[in-house]
Amino acid sequence: MNTANASRRPWARRLVVLGSSVALATGFVGFLHTKTARPLLAQVFGLHCPFSAGKLSPARREALRRDAFHVTSRPGAPAPSNDALGFPLGKWARADVAAWASERHVSCKDDSSGASVDCDGVTAADVNETGNEHGSLYFRFDPSNRLVAVLRMVRVPNADRAGTLAHEERASLASKLGAPTLSRGEPTAAYLATGTLAQARVEYRFADFAAIASATNLGHDGYLLTEEAQIAD
Amino acid sequence: MILRSFGATLTCVLISGMALTACGSDSKSANGGSNTPDAGGDTAGSCTTKMYAKYGATAFGAVRDSIVTKALAAPTDKLGDAFQNFASQSTPAKIDTFKTDLADFLVMVYGGPNNYMGVSMTEAHQGLNITSDQYDYFITQVVVPALSDNHVLESDITNCFAPPVTDATFKASIVGK
């Protein structure tokens, strides 16, 4: 028996070594695929995690945003203001948005890409406007966590309120930015009530800044008002 | 992610399909910068399947291209990763294939020949977790402007295009899957 056990020990030792090696290798490979270590995987080994193959890098995502901006921008004239809903684009950082949300008790969460933050239940007062409506806010950041775009979406149940808010939205933009680059539809209850998908829309496009405001009749879903803005770089 | 992009692709197809309903616009339908709704002869929903015959293949192609361009350039990325992933990672050939699929879907929805070979909307959007906000953003900031840019009559947008894309059952087949 002792002789037999002695002859088996080398195999047992080898199995332990092999098992440990497999465990270590598995752990190491698993670690390389974690969010923390993916940059190491890419930079040192020149590889990408296959489970995140569809994810854009922050730099690529930002490059696409800038490319898209320049497709529709108006060359030459800079915008008189980069302010959007009270948020200074290009100046605020992610931490400023977090502080704003905390101070106002607004519920926000990072999206899966990590490039943006979604906030729900945002009141008009939270964005320095009047009214009782709640809406959502969407903040977009560049790879250095600088605020580069913001979108607000507000739903209202009737054409009267939608017309009032759309009119106020247009007046606010006009006071800051002047005449729009494009204007379609009328910001009135009568116009918006003409049918589903009736839309009042203004667009401001500058070399360094763009803003779009719209009010749309969504039929049974009421009326959707949007205001969004972004900077070029 | 590949599945995600594919799903998003079909999302676009689907919705755009509805969009093109009203689309089209040959010169005969253009009303340019009119700021008032025109008094079209069609009533809501009665004209959806007449759009292909009214506007033709060329107009459908123009609106389709407009929808794809706007979706890929959504300013604040509110549509999520899918469209930008698609733009970033697809070859020109794949994008062309997508556009063909989109056109086939639109033509089918709006009364033209049924050449669409894709999967159902629910199946196409499975796992994408598209939100109601994202869906409505796509309709209001991509589809409606694409139609307007191509001079689609406002009465056609509200009467012919709107019913399918604002249908609660249709929306439910895409949102939250």
Side-chain angles (χ1 to χ4, degrees), chain B residues 131-144:
Chain B
T131 66
S132 181
D133 269 3
Q134 285 176 325
Y135 181 90
D136 290 342
Y137 182 91
F138 184 78
I139 296 297
T140 63
Q141 306 305 311
V142 174
V143 175
V144 174

Side-chain angles (χ1 to χ4, degrees), chain A residues 54 56 138 140 155 184 199, chain B residues 1 76-77 85 136 140 149:
Chain A
L56 296 174
Y138 177 91
R140 171 75 179 270
R155 295 171 191 274
R184 284 194 182 123
Q199 183 178 79
Chain B
M1 265 341 240
T76 48
D77 198 23
N85 281 340
D136 290 342
T140 63
D149 286 354

Side-chain angles (χ1 to χ4, degrees), chain A residues 51-56 60-61 64-65 68-69 71-72 111-113 115-116 118 120 136 138 140 149-151 153 155 182-186 191 194-199 201 203 205 212 214 216-221 224 226 228-230, chain B residues 1-2 4-5 32-37 69-70 72-81 84-89 132-134 136-137 139-151 154 157-159 161-163 165-166 168 171:
Chain A
F51 295 107
S52 63
K55 289 284 186 185
L56 296 174
R60 179 65 180 145
R61 184 184 302 279
L64 286 170
R65 186 195 69 81
F69 178 94
V71 167
T72 54
D111 83 345
S112 59
S113 73
S116 53
D118 272 307
D120 291 321
S136 62
Y138 177 91
R140 171 75 179 270
V150 63
L151 162 69
M153 299 175 75
R155 295 171 191 274
L182 177 148
S183 176
R184 284 194 182 123
E186 298 291 341
Y191 178 85
T194 53
T196 305
L197 294 187
Q199 183 178 79
R201 181 181 187 87
E203 297 183 4
R205 299 195 182 276
I212 299 171
S214 71
T216 310
N217 180 339
L218 286 177
H220 296 301
D221 284 344
L224 175 67
T226 68
E228 64 182 312
Q230 65 173 328
Chain B
M1 265 341 240
I2 292 171
R4 241 181 127 70
S5 294
S34 169
N35 263 351
T36 55
T69 300
K70 288 178 184 299
L72 297 180
T76 48
D77 198 23
K78 179 61 182 174
L79 295 177
D81 293 350
Q84 290 192 337
N85 281 340
F86 180 72
S88 178
Q89 298 173 359
S132 181
D133 269 3
Q134 285 176 325
D136 290 342
Y137 182 91
I139 296 297
T140 63
Q141 306 305 311
V142 174
V143 175
V144 174
L147 294 169
S148 297
D149 286 354
N150 285 284
H151 311 298
E154 292 179 14
I157 294 176
T158 56
N159 292 328
F161 164 66
V165 289
T166 55
K171 182 176 177 180

Side-chain angles (χ1 to χ4, degrees), chain A residues 93-116:
Chain A
R94 188 183 290 261
D96 296 312
V97 172
W100 166 86
S102 176
E103 182 182 318
R104 307 265 180 163
H105 304 292
V106 172
S107 171
C108 301
K109 62 180 180 182
D110 289 348
D111 83 345
S112 59
S113 73
S116 53

Side-chain angles (χ1 to χ4, degrees), chain A residues 9-26:
Chain A
R9 273 183 202 133
W11 288 106
R13 191 176 299 125
R14 285 174 190 166
L15 279 174
V16 169
V17 170
L18 179 64
S20 301
S21 300
V22 169
L24 276 173
T26 303

